[in-house]
Amino acid sequence: MAWNEQGNGNKGPKNPWNRGGKDQGPPDLDEIVRKVREKLQSLLGWKKGTPKNNKPRGTGDGGGDSKRTPTEITQSHVLIALSALLGLWLLSGIYIISPMKRGVVLRFGQYVRTVEPGPHWIPRFIESYLTVNVQEVTSFTYMDEMLTKDGNIVSVELSVMYRRDNVRDYLFNVIDPQDSIKQATASALRQVIGDSALDDILTTGRQLIRDEVQQQLTAILAPYKTGIEIIDVNLQPAKPPEAVTEAFDDVIKARKDEKRYINEAVAYASQHNEIVIGQVERILREAEAEQERLVAESTGEVAQFMALLSLYKAQPEVMRLRLYLDAFESILSKSSKVLVATKKNQNILYLPLDKMVEAQRQRSRGEEDSGDANSSSNNTSDTDSSSDNNNLPLGDSSDDSRITDPTRGGYQWQQ
């Protein structure tokens, strides 16, 4: 039956807020609490009351008043339910940040603080948290065709490695950090490539370009505070235009050959360095020895000249003749044939000195073999003396006996 239908014993509609159909004003607060309590009691499975003809279990007819009222049962269960809900709420606020991550706490969506690794607690439904992995290294590759300083077009590929170092800046300063770093990479790479020549990009300047791109990328990201740290950039080998690919391949090959030749030369130099040093030392020692020899000979010749000079000053005529004879002896000793011109256009005389010297040597050997050693020595001396006296201009300058006779030279040599 609906609440506004007529009852059997009542007049007017049946209003749940009006007892007996009488208008008593606004509903009582106690009545509302009682109804809410009854609803909770019905949800918990308890009945409103116990019938008079039905006694609770465990009670007799004459037993005491052991019946529990519905009000006491409802209050205890409500407290238990509230306590359980409070415990669940407290437990739901516990969370743990792993060592590789950092967390930020938000209170109604607004940043409050940054939390480090470990266990933490927040009041659930009031505060929330977000975590970011700050040790993970992320990489991406950017590739495009760009214009160089000398007006050429080159295809460049760059790999960028980065990580998140500031959680607050990474989450709240920029809308899309990944897209921001890609745009900054494109800007930095185009700027550096535009200031470089094609030959440097393809060959020797790649390392310098890589360092400049990393510095430029860091400088671009710094004012925006993106919370991203650039770990490394890697410039991949650039590709020249297809029309000149073969020519640049030849250039690269030539540069490699140059480096190879230089390395081979360095290896050869290091291998033969000790041998060359030894040869240099030997040549220096020989030069020093030759120098000492020449100095000694020159010193001896000077001493001999000074001795002859003193004798020349004492007896000029004698020394002049002696020097004349020594000079002709030195000249004729190097020749085996002598031609003597006579006066009045007579025939030229030929003196076979080589045969005469050979015959004299054979005669000397025969005398040495047949005679006694001492007598042989005396005979040899007499023979040499007689030979020197007969051939005065052709004698040995070291034998002074040939010029000691005053009748031949008109002087007497004293040594």
Side-chain angles (χ1 to χ4, degrees):
M1 179 182 294
W3 64 272
N4 56 356
E5 292 181 357
Q6 295 291 337
N8 294 328
N10 297 327
K11 296 180 180 181
K14 185 182 292 184
N15 190 346
W17 307 108
N18 186 8
R19 296 181 179 179
K22 297 179 180 180
D23 187 6
Q24 297 181 357
D28 189 8
L29 183 60
D30 294 337
E31 183 68 18
I32 295 174
V33 172
R34 183 183 63 80
K35 291 184 177 182
V36 171
R37 187 180 301 168
E38 290 177 356
K39 290 290 184 182
L40 291 176
Q41 185 177 1
S42 62
L43 291 175
L44 294 176
W46 295 89
K47 295 181 180 181
K48 182 176 180 181
T50 303
K52 295 180 179 180
N53 56 356
N54 189 9
K55 297 180 180 180
R57 295 181 181 179
T59 59
D61 296 336
D65 188 8
S66 60
K67 181 175 66 175
R68 292 179 295 177
T69 62
T71 302
E72 293 177 355
I73 295 174
T74 301
Q75 289 177 351
S76 62
H77 283 78
V78 168
L79 293 176
I80 293 174
L82 293 177
S83 300
L85 293 176
L86 180 61
L88 292 175
W89 180 76
L90 293 175
L91 292 176
S92 65
I94 299 175
Y95 65 97
I96 298 176
I97 304 296
S98 63
M100 297 180 62
K101 297 181 179 181
R102 298 294 184 273
V104 292
V105 177
L106 306 178
R107 182 174 298 162
F108 299 111
Q110 185 179 5
Y111 172 82
V112 178
R113 63 185 180 276
T114 302
V115 292
E116 299 295 327
H120 302 276
W121 181 84
I122 57 173
R124 185 65 66 179
F125 309 118
I126 299 175
E127 294 182 352
S128 61
Y129 71 94
L130 299 174
T131 60
V132 176
N133 193 332
V134 296
Q135 295 185 6
E136 180 184 6
V137 177
T138 308
S139 63
F140 69 92
T141 301
Y142 178 80
M143 181 177 64
D144 200 355
E145 292 184 353
M146 302 179 184
L147 186 65
T148 62
K149 181 179 180 181
D150 49 3
N152 293 310
I153 298 177
V154 62
S155 178
V156 183
E157 182 178 357
L158 183 71
S159 298
V160 180
M161 301 176 63
Y162 67 93
R163 70 179 184 89
R164 307 160 186 84
D165 62 341
N166 191 309
V167 180
R168 179 180 180 181
D169 294 344
Y170 179 78
L171 292 175
F172 304 110
N173 282 355
V174 291
I175 298 176
D176 191 350
Q178 286 81 6
D179 185 64
S180 299
I181 191 174
K182 289 180 180 179
Q183 294 181 8
T185 301
S187 176
L189 185 59
R190 289 184 180 276
Q191 181 175 354
V192 175
I193 295 298
D195 294 336
S196 303
L198 180 62
D199 189 22
D200 296 334
I201 298 172
L202 297 178
T203 55
T204 59
R206 294 180 62 251
Q207 183 64 29
L208 181 61
I209 293 174
R210 169 196 168 278
D211 297 337
E212 291 181 358
V213 170
Q214 184 172 0
Q215 295 176 1
Q216 190 71 19
L217 179 58
T218 304
I220 292 175
L221 293 176
Y224 296 98
K225 295 182 180 181
T226 58
I228 293 176
E229 179 185 4
I230 303 300
I231 302 299
D232 189 18
V233 296
N234 185 17
L235 182 64
Q236 303 295 333
K239 299 178 181 179
E242 296 181 359
V244 294
T245 301
E246 296 182 358
F248 274 92
D249 291 341
D250 294 337
V251 172
I252 295 174
K253 183 179 179 181
R255 293 184 182 276
K256 292 181 179 179
D257 292 339
E258 178 186 5
K259 293 182 179 179
R260 179 171 59 84
Y261 292 148
I262 292 175
N263 295 332
E264 291 178 356
V266 171
Y268 180 83
S270 61
Q271 181 180 1
H272 294 78
N273 190 22
E274 297 180 357
I275 299 175
V276 173
I277 292 176
Q279 292 177 354
V280 171
E281 292 293 335
R282 180 177 57 81
I283 294 173
L284 292 176
R285 296 295 181 270
E286 292 177 355
E288 292 175 357
E290 183 67 15
Q291 179 184 6
E292 293 176 356
R293 185 184 66 80
L294 294 176
V295 170
E297 290 181 357
S298 301
T299 304
E301 291 177 357
V302 171
Q304 183 180 3
F305 177 78
M306 296 303 294
L308 293 175
L309 180 60
S310 62
L311 294 175
Y312 182 82
K313 290 180 180 180
Q315 298 178 353
E317 296 295 334
V318 176
M319 290 304 301
R320 188 180 293 114
L321 180 60
R322 177 60 187 271
L323 293 175
Y324 175 78
L325 296 176
D326 288 343
F328 267 91
E329 182 181 5
S330 176
I331 294 172
L332 295 176
S333 63
K334 299 177 181 179
S335 177
S336 60
K337 297 179 181 180
V338 178
L339 300 178
V340 180
T342 60
K343 296 180 180 180
K344 297 181 181 180
N345 295 326
Q346 295 180 359
N347 296 328
I348 297 176
L349 299 178
Y350 169 65
L351 298 178
L353 296 180
D354 51 349
K355 295 181 179 181
M356 295 171 62
V357 172
E358 185 66 25
Q360 186 178 359
R361 289 178 181 175
Q362 292 178 359
R363 186 167 55 253
S364 298
R365 290 196 193 99
E367 291 176 358
E368 288 177 359
D369 294 339
S370 60
D372 185 46
N374 294 329
S375 61
S376 176
S377 299
N378 295 331
N379 293 333
T380 304
S381 300
D382 295 338
T383 305
D384 294 338
S385 298
S386 60
S387 176
D388 293 336
N389 293 330
N390 295 329
N391 302 293
L392 182 59
L394 303 176
D396 190 0
S397 62
S398 63
D399 190 5
D400 298 335
S401 62
R402 60 186 174 83
I403 59 173
T404 56
D405 189 0
T407 60
R408 286 186 173 275
Y411 66 89
Q412 185 176 2
W413 175 260
Q414 293 180 359
Q415 187 173 0

